[in-house]
Amino acid sequence: ILFNATLVRCMLESGIYAPPRFATDYPDVEAVAAVDFMEKLEECYSRYGRDQTIVITRSNKRANRFNEGIRRRVLYAEEEIESGDMLMIVKNNYHYAEQDKECPVDFIANGDIARLRRLRRVEELYGFRFAQATLEFDDYGLEMDCKLLLDTLASESPSLTREQSSALFYAVAEDYADIRSKVKRYKEVRENPYFNAMQVKFAYAVTCHKAQGGQWSAVFVDQMLFGEETMSRDLMRWLYTALTRAAEKLYLVNFDDRFFDEK
């Protein structure tokens, strides 16, 4: 992994923006065809665990497709969301950390990963869907009761859009219309548990942006270029970030021949 990541870093520093030629004759790097992806992923879940295996891809749309396929075909999930699901927080949340006196951090950060322990009372309110849940954050040694915002699970945007956030804010504000002071009314909204619901996505597959700062034992990097797409500085930086998320095993999924040394 280090050899391949160093190759990409050297190309970046030299201003060379072309598909790097990876060596796969090392035990920690493996090229994987799309047809073999699910089998390899299942092997990693057995060996490393769900929390130490991740797929990194280039868009929220592709991440959603991976997450749906993984949950149905590997984890055999039957419901929209279930106890045991791995979730990623997709927007900083200060509310629940402030409410929990035993919370060891000041806020739950965008990119934090939690396991869903319990799910209760799904409800529709303010034009959105919520659930009462218990999340377990292994990194913090913490269990936290909170509300989840289910609308972000399969959204193609990173979190609620500005328009959606505004719509939620003003919908909640209607509950406090009897408060004449605008400042006091908005203060109530900002402390409302629905307005502060955790925005989450499934954490089996994520964008490289969401993976930044994290590291996993096994990392599957989704195909780098599509069709006749050419390499650019931004894509090189994307690739370097993706490669360096892997601690033990790196899988290059459906990368074409441009990326590999000839045998």
Side-chain angles (χ1 to χ4, degrees):
I1 298 170
L2 290 176
F3 174 83
N4 288 288
T6 300
L7 169 64
V8 176
R9 179 169 57 83
C10 289
M11 293 177 70
L12 263 170
E13 292 174 350
S14 302
I16 301 172
Y17 310 134
R21 306 285 287 187
F22 292 139
T24 55
D25 50 354
Y26 293 89
D28 55 359
V29 179
E30 185 175 340
V32 178
V35 294
D36 299 320
F37 166 72
M38 290 295 184
E39 180 180 350
K40 292 292 184 181
L41 185 72
E42 197 164 8
E43 289 177 4
C44 287
Y45 282 165
S46 297
R47 181 175 180 182
Y48 302 108
R50 296 188 203 178
D51 58 337
Q52 283 298 312
T53 304
I54 203 162
V55 179
I56 297 178
T57 187
R58 282 180 54 187
S59 70
N60 284 297
K61 183 176 182 179
R62 287 184 69 84
N64 288 344
R65 291 174 60 189
F66 273 111
N67 281 317
E68 181 180 2
I70 292 167
R71 293 186 73 250
R72 301 302 182 201
R73 296 174 55 190
V74 177
L75 305 178
Y76 303 105
E78 296 180 351
E79 303 297 332
E80 176 190 17
I81 183 171
E82 299 180 349
S83 296
D85 268 323
M86 301 301 299
L87 302 174
M88 176 172 280
I89 310 304
V90 295
K91 184 178 181 181
N92 290 347
N93 190 295
Y94 296 84
H95 177 78
Y96 288 103
E98 292 172 354
Q99 297 293 312
D100 190 336
K101 295 181 180 179
E102 298 183 359
C103 186
V105 292
D106 293 331
F107 65 99
I108 304 301
N110 180 4
D112 281 348
I113 292 180
R115 187 184 302 273
L116 178 61
R117 282 303 182 193
R118 289 179 291 277
L119 186 74
R120 305 177 296 277
R121 205 169 64 250
V122 175
E123 57 187 325
E124 293 191 22
L125 197 63
Y126 306 119
F128 295 87
R129 297 173 60 245
F130 303 89
Q132 186 66 29
T134 301
L135 299 181
E136 181 181 40
F137 295 87
D138 288 339
D139 288 348
Y140 304 140
L142 172 71
E143 274 200 5
M144 177 178 287
D145 292 327
C146 62
K147 290 193 182 297
L148 298 184
L149 181 63
L150 300 181
D151 296 73
T152 53
L153 277 174
S155 171
E156 292 184 11
S157 61
S159 58
L160 282 189
T161 64
R162 180 177 299 180
E163 291 75 17
Q164 288 174 318
S165 296
S166 179
L168 177 58
F169 182 92
Y170 287 109
V172 173
E174 291 180 6
D175 283 352
Y176 304 100
D178 58 319
I179 300 177
R180 293 187 176 184
S181 168
K182 186 175 181 180
V183 173
K184 291 182 179 180
R185 184 165 65 251
Y186 282 6
K187 181 177 183 295
E188 292 292 335
V189 175
R190 296 189 185 283
E191 295 177 355
N192 182 281
Y194 292 93
F195 179 72
N196 287 288
M198 292 276 193
Q199 298 185 32
V200 295
K201 289 184 180 293
F202 292 113
Y204 308 110
V206 302
T207 62
C208 197
H209 177 71
K210 292 298 185 185
Q212 281 184 311
Q215 194 165 58
W216 292 263
S217 296
V219 172
F220 291 76
V221 179
D222 185 26
Q223 64 188 82
M224 183 61 216
L225 297 178
F226 301 93
E228 298 303 316
E229 185 179 13
T230 58
M231 187 63 80
S232 65
R233 177 176 174 79
D234 286 344
L235 289 179
M236 290 286 286
R237 293 177 65 184
W238 184 99
L239 183 57
Y240 177 75
T241 301
L243 296 179
T244 52
R245 299 310 94 202
E248 295 187 36
K249 187 74 176 185
L250 174 68
Y251 295 90
L252 303 175
V253 182
N254 219 30
F255 278 51
D256 61 38
D257 292 341
R258 288 175 286 181
F259 287 92
F260 301 109
D261 288 334
E262 296 179 2
K263 299 289 185 177

